Amino acid sequence: MQLHNDTITILKNFAMINPSIAFSPGTQLQTIAPSKVILAKAKIKDSFPTTGAIYDLSRFLGVVSLFEKPEFEFTETQVIIKGVAQTVNYTFADPSMILTPPTDKDLTIDKPDIDLDIPGAKITAVLKAAAVMQLPEVALMCDGAVVYLQALDSKNPSSDDYKQELRDWVDQTTFKIIFKTENFKMMPYDYNLKIQSHIAQFTCLSDTRPGLIYWIAAEANSTFGD
């Protein structure tokens, strides 16, 4: 079998969250950050035929990049990558060495305190500003009338900040939901955002990325309401 380019793209993104990954038969990939503050899952266009675990995902992707149009043969202990005149036998890691998301229940947000859509362009702009201005956090904040996405340093009230207006807010609720900038690992798409109990669920709105969802834990100094 061949792996679709979209699958490789998802794996590259997930390597930014956790350097290792384990997979099961089927069309779903998922990962969790070593800090356990980021969890992500995606539906892919390929179907893995076996279980497997890769300890150094970036290394594996580097090996794949050595091939122009590789064929993949999955066994119980390894994946064999074949090109026109080249072959790599890549041995799976022991699954016990890899931190994997819990499988006993799905993380869902049924009764969100906040529910809105965020354009990917505005997420990208705020992250760029955070990098340029060396701001360690991103916040979804509302002054009671307008919701903003903001780059800031919440521990230094006198520091500079940057914000992008998202939408009007009609119920006059105020909030500031704070995340570490380093935890914004989402791919650059539009998202629906639901927040409940300091957990944010980013669901990709792009038709080309069905089933791509990230969950990110908000910081303890986040506030909602008065």
Side-chain angles (χ1 to χ4, degrees):
M1 64 177 289
Q2 290 187 325
L3 291 182
H4 198 282
N5 286 338
D6 283 356
T7 300
I8 299 298
T9 300
I10 290 290
L11 288 171
K12 288 178 179 178
N13 176 249
F14 281 13
M16 298 170 59
I17 298 172
N18 187 328
S20 305
I21 197 167
F23 55 86
S24 301
T27 59
Q28 181 170 285
L29 285 173
Q30 56 183 353
T31 190
I32 186 170
S35 61
K36 298 184 180 181
V37 298
I38 311 170
L39 188 150
K41 71 176 183 179
K43 183 178 180 181
I44 58 173
K45 296 180 179 179
D46 301 299
S47 181
F48 288 108
T50 66
T51 59
I54 298 172
Y55 185 75
D56 189 338
L57 183 53
S58 293
R59 179 174 179 265
F60 173 77
L61 292 169
V63 170
V64 172
S65 71
L66 298 174
F67 296 79
E68 185 173 350
K69 292 182 178 180
E71 291 282 343
F72 297 83
E73 180 184 341
F74 290 85
T75 72
E76 293 184 358
T77 59
Q78 64 181 357
V79 54
I80 304 168
I81 309 171
K82 297 180 180 180
V84 175
Q86 61 206 124
T87 302
V88 169
N89 295 330
Y90 201 100
T91 302
F92 292 142
D94 182 343
S96 66
M97 299 173 60
I98 296 174
L99 178 66
T100 58
T103 58
D104 55 341
K105 62 179 180 178
D106 289 331
L107 181 59
T108 58
I109 295 180
D110 298 320
K111 298 179 180 179
D113 299 311
I114 301 168
D115 187 345
L116 51 79
D117 294 344
I118 302 183
K122 295 198 173 186
I123 298 175
T124 299
V126 171
L127 291 177
K128 181 178 180 180
V132 170
M133 301 170 70
Q134 299 182 342
L135 297 170
E137 295 161 328
V138 171
L140 182 77
M141 60 88 65
C142 180
D143 58 11
V146 179
V147 181
Y148 302 89
L149 194 63
Q150 180 183 30
L152 76 162
D153 183 350
S154 65
K155 295 179 176 59
N156 182 8
S158 63
S159 71
D160 300 326
D161 69 88
Y162 172 95
K163 60 187 178 183
Q164 282 267 350
E165 183 175 327
L166 295 180
R167 54 167 287 183
D168 293 337
W169 200 250
V170 297
D171 67 2
Q172 299 183 332
T173 305
T174 62
F175 52 81
K176 180 173 282 189
I177 313 300
I178 302 170
F179 307 90
K180 289 184 178 179
T181 303
E182 65 194 46
N183 291 337
F184 264 53
K185 304 293 188 183
M186 298 90 70
M187 297 178 71
Y189 294 105
D190 299 341
Y191 290 91
N192 170 257
L193 170 61
K194 290 181 173 65
I195 298 177
Q196 182 182 6
S197 300
H198 281 66
I199 298 295
Q201 176 182 288
F202 293 82
T203 303
C204 183
L205 297 175
S206 172
D207 292 337
T208 63
R209 288 280 182 264
L212 176 60
I213 307 176
Y214 302 85
W215 291 268
I216 304 176
E219 294 300 289
N221 59 337
S222 299
T223 58
F224 184 84
D226 296 332

